[in-house]
Amino acid sequence: MRRRSLVAVALLVTLAGCSAFSAPVQEASTPTATGSDAPLPQVTLEVRVTAVVDGDTIRIAYPNGTADTVRLVGVDTPEVNVENDPTEFEGVPDTDAGRACLRDAGTDASNVAKDALLGRTVGLAFDPGTDRRGYYDRLLAYVVVEDRLFNYRLLAAGHARVYDSEFSRAERFYSAETTAREDRRGLWRCVDPAATGTPVADGGTVTPSESALVVSTVHADAAGNDNENLNDEYVVFENRGESSLDLTGWMVSDEAGRVYTFDALTLAPGERVTLHTGSGTDTETDRYWGQSGAVWNNDGDTVTVRDAGGRLVAHRPYG
């Protein structure tokens, strides 16, 4: 199994519906911490994080020992202590499954905050467009840790939405949220693609009903050591349409950007093809990627398929 350098987070939503809103997946690589190469905000205080209330709220201790609570500027992570309102998160269905998915996403965001901040000394910076304290008398601040803006990191990795308020970095934050939502990172895996469509690179969308090709099986956990049994790590694709599909030039990729391209292959209605990670002789029913190590993460990844023109035709997160 491949290992990633970032923390495992977020959730699984399958294209079949809302029945799998709460399985863990890997966090995608985080873009530049501040967005658009913007400079970090000016740190005015250094404090120690003593507790994480949830993904967007922390408790701190000043150098003199006094305590305070900080609400992160510009971001809102799903709730963990009260019920979530799915209507606050674009595209998340207002159903029990949607609320459960957001609750799990909130837990993931809290865990990310604990891993990154708890027990550490961090910098606090304040935005000229906001008050110093909010409604509950909490400090409203940016948190800087290891020369990274944690508020932005939450958005870029899909752990939060932008909190609709006046602050100077709003444009960059909204851009990060949009990218995370289009890539279905973190909480945005709670979005129901059957209802909203899945964004594609050219600005269009594709819904399951528009694509006859489906990812029917992901067998990520090979028997024994994955790296020593590569052909028992595989993905099965099925044509569920009423006409044949020419897969020549179609591309399969994982979240890390590894790409396999099908050579000449046509699937008749109801036919399947299995893509094995290792090496072998290609047939009409089995294809071999020829990788030297495991591709699909056992604890979560996303299988993406694009046609020869680059249009998204299948998208299957799992975990």
Side-chain angles (χ1 to χ4, degrees), residues 265-276:
L265 176 66
T266 298
L267 286 185
E271 286 188 342
R272 298 181 177 187
V273 62
T274 300
L275 175 60
H276 302 271

Side-chain angles (χ1 to χ4, degrees), residues 223-245:
N225 186 319
D226 290 14
N227 292 306
E228 297 175 357
N229 193 12
L230 295 176
N231 285 337
D232 193 39
E233 181 185 87
Y234 57 83
V235 179
V236 180
F237 304 93
E238 180 180 354
N239 178 6
R240 293 187 181 171
E242 298 179 355
S243 58
S244 295
L245 285 176

Side-chain angles (χ1 to χ4, degrees), residues 42-49 60-66 70 120-126 139 142-147:
Q42 181 64 47
V43 171
T44 59
L45 291 171
E46 287 195 348
V47 298
R48 183 171 59 85
V49 179
I60 61 167
Y62 295 105
N64 65 3
T66 58
V70 176
R120 305 186 67 173
T121 297
V122 303
L124 298 185
F126 301 94
L139 278 178
Y142 297 110
V143 174
V144 177
V145 58
E146 293 184 344
D147 294 323

Side-chain angles (χ1 to χ4, degrees), residues 93-109:
D94 189 6
T95 62
D96 289 343
R99 283 183 283 276
C101 183
L102 286 173
R103 184 169 57 251
D104 288 345
T107 299
D108 288 332

Side-chain angles (χ1 to χ4, degrees), residues 219-293:
H219 191 258
D221 190 4
N225 186 319
D226 290 14
N227 292 306
E228 297 175 357
N229 193 12
L230 295 176
N231 285 337
D232 193 39
E233 181 185 87
Y234 57 83
V235 179
V236 180
F237 304 93
E238 180 180 354
N239 178 6
R240 293 187 181 171
E242 298 179 355
S243 58
S244 295
L245 285 176
D246 182 0
L247 302 189
T248 304
W250 288 29
M251 297 162 285
V252 180
S253 63
D254 68 344
E255 288 184 358
R258 301 170 188 261
V259 177
Y260 170 84
T261 303
F262 282 106
D263 289 331
L265 176 66
T266 298
L267 286 185
E271 286 188 342
R272 298 181 177 187
V273 62
T274 300
L275 175 60
H276 302 271
T277 296
S279 299
T281 301
D282 288 345
T283 68
E284 292 301 302
T285 58
D286 292 88
R287 294 297 168 105
Y288 297 87
W289 198 327
Q291 291 287 320
S292 59

Side-chain angles (χ1 to χ4, degrees), residues 39 69 307:
T69 300
D307 65 19

Side-chain angles (χ1 to χ4, degrees), residues 104-132:
D104 288 345
T107 299
D108 288 332
S110 297
N111 289 337
V112 168
K114 290 174 183 177
D115 288 339
L117 306 177
L118 188 58
R120 305 186 67 173
T121 297
V122 303
L124 298 185
F126 301 94
D127 192 282
T130 66
D131 294 331
R132 180 63 67 98

Side-chain angles (χ1 to χ4, degrees), residues 4-22:
R4 298 176 189 244
S5 59
L6 298 178
V7 181
V9 297
L11 307 169
L12 167 70
V13 177
T14 66
L15 291 180
C18 303
S19 62
F21 271 95
S22 57

